[in-house]
Amino acid sequence: MPSLDANEIVDSENLPDLAEASAETALRWALDKFSPNVALACSFQAEESVLIDMMHRQRGSDFRIFTLDTGRLNQETYDCMDAIRERYRISVEVYFPDTVKVQDMVRAHGLNLFYSSIEQRKLCCAVRKVEPLNRALKNLSAWMTGLRREQAVTREGVSKVEVDNDHGGILKINPLVDWSHDEVWRYICDHNVPFNWLHTQGYPSIGCAPCTRAVKPGEDLRAGRWWWENSDTKECGLHIDSDASAKNNINSASGKQDVGI
Ligand code: SF4
């Protein structure tokens, strides 16, 4: 099914201003507007546990989530995936990397190429994450993420709703963008939500096993991701807008009505 034209949506008189909307309101708007062509990108971190629980409260099992199985994930992440499948009675759409691309990469550069240079780390992320993400988004009109601004310097400019120019101009909705770490965990505790057990072992942020480690008290939330790199390079390419100047922040559009839900 073809994706909606995001520019058409931006220009629409019915576009709600979601900048100050609650996470639940932003989710409901996205699900009502785009289902079944909207899905949550899930790496089974705490933020996504929150969003899955919220969607379940709104729609039962009638929502979609997808994940990228890079082949290098922790067992705890698979355990969380199964816990969520069972708790919410949902199927997880799992995308794997292209086998031939992985074979060619590891034959040329080794299995642990990511430690050699930023370029090789980004090559591994491109093969194991970015290409599968492109496939996952191909037929969607919008996708949702658990991004929060306080997670990293690279995420300080993220908006609640954005046009994703790197993926055909579909919409990208980040309902928890203005949530704090404490708010996430308060929700998880209050609602007894399944979460990735690595979070109890000093992992505030979880990615692939060889590229993620526990952080020390007081360290940055993403200090354990690619810890051998500088903080301004710490993205895998999933959430980078390669044409930032063309980025449309829907929330700043004027004359839009509040969603009012
Ligand atoms: Fe490869 Fe590490 Fe990126 Fe995972 S996080 S895709 S193992 S470089």
Side-chain angles (χ1 to χ4, degrees):
M1 189 174 294
S3 297
L4 297 178
D5 180 346
N7 289 322
E8 226 173 79
I9 299 170
V10 173
D11 292 340
S12 163
E13 289 183 3
N14 294 319
L15 178 69
D17 182 354
L18 294 167
E20 304 299 325
S22 69
E24 288 92 341
T25 298
L27 269 181
R28 183 174 288 111
W29 177 79
L31 291 167
D32 288 350
K33 186 88 178 170
F34 300 108
S35 288
N37 296 323
V38 58
L40 172 70
C42 184
S43 53
F44 299 98
Q45 302 192 66
E47 289 80 4
E48 289 127 14
S49 288
V50 168
L51 292 172
I52 289 168
D53 189 82
M54 285 180 177
M55 290 194 288
H56 186 257
R57 288 169 191 278
Q58 292 184 15
R59 300 178 67 95
S61 300
D62 184 23
F63 61 91
R64 293 174 61 188
I65 72 173
F66 71 85
T67 193
L68 310 176
D69 185 345
T70 63
R72 304 298 298 258
L73 302 179
N74 293 282
Q75 180 60 38
E76 289 85 347
T77 299
Y78 295 114
D79 292 342
C80 182
M81 190 185 311
D82 274 350
I84 282 175
R85 284 177 61 247
E86 288 165 20
R87 164 78 170 266
Y88 299 106
R89 303 281 174 205
I90 55 172
S91 66
V92 178
E93 299 171 30
V94 184
Y95 287 83
F96 294 94
D98 180 279
T99 309
V100 173
K101 286 191 173 75
V102 173
Q103 284 175 180
D104 290 349
M105 178 179 71
V106 299
R107 284 176 187 171
H109 304 293
L111 274 159
N112 294 320
L113 71 164
F114 26 77
Y115 298 134
S116 301
S117 66
I118 290 177
E119 288 69 31
Q120 295 214 0
R121 195 274 288 169
K122 289 188 172 176
L123 171 63
C124 185
C125 284
V127 169
R128 293 185 186 273
K129 290 184 173 179
V130 176
E131 189 277 330
L133 176 72
N134 291 341
R135 265 186 280 128
L137 299 183
K138 199 170 173 193
N139 292 315
L140 294 182
S141 302
W143 61 306
M144 299 177 287
T145 82
L147 292 182
R148 291 188 300 108
R149 290 191 192 110
E150 77 169 22
Q151 286 168 328
V153 291
T154 51
R155 296 182 176 181
E156 287 173 355
V158 175
S159 299
K160 199 163 283 182
V161 182
E162 301 176 334
V163 175
D164 184 352
N165 291 310
D166 284 345
H167 297 105
I170 65 174
L171 288 190
K172 183 176 180 182
I173 296 116
N174 311 300
L176 300 182
V177 75
D178 47 5
W179 277 40
S180 68
H181 176 264
D182 288 351
E183 285 176 297
V184 170
W185 283 98
R186 195 174 308 127
Y187 185 100
I188 286 175
C189 293
D190 287 350
H191 299 87
N192 192 27
V193 175
F195 62 89
N196 194 320
W197 207 242
L198 283 173
H199 286 309
T200 68
Q201 299 168 38
Y203 289 73
S205 179
I206 298 165
C208 293
C211 298
T212 313
R213 69 177 182 184
V215 303
K216 300 185 187 82
E219 275 190 312
D220 185 79
L221 290 177
R222 278 171 68 85
R225 302 291 295 275
W226 308 295
W227 62 92
W228 60 92
E229 295 182 9
N230 292 328
S231 58
D232 57 357
T233 68
K234 290 187 178 187
E235 290 291 352
C236 52
L238 302 186
H239 301 296
I240 299 283
D241 188 340
S242 63
D243 185 13
S245 63
K247 189 174 181 177
N248 293 300
N249 176 0
I250 292 179
N251 295 323
S252 64
S254 60
K256 311 302 183 188
Q257 69 183 42
D258 195 296
V259 70
I261 297 173

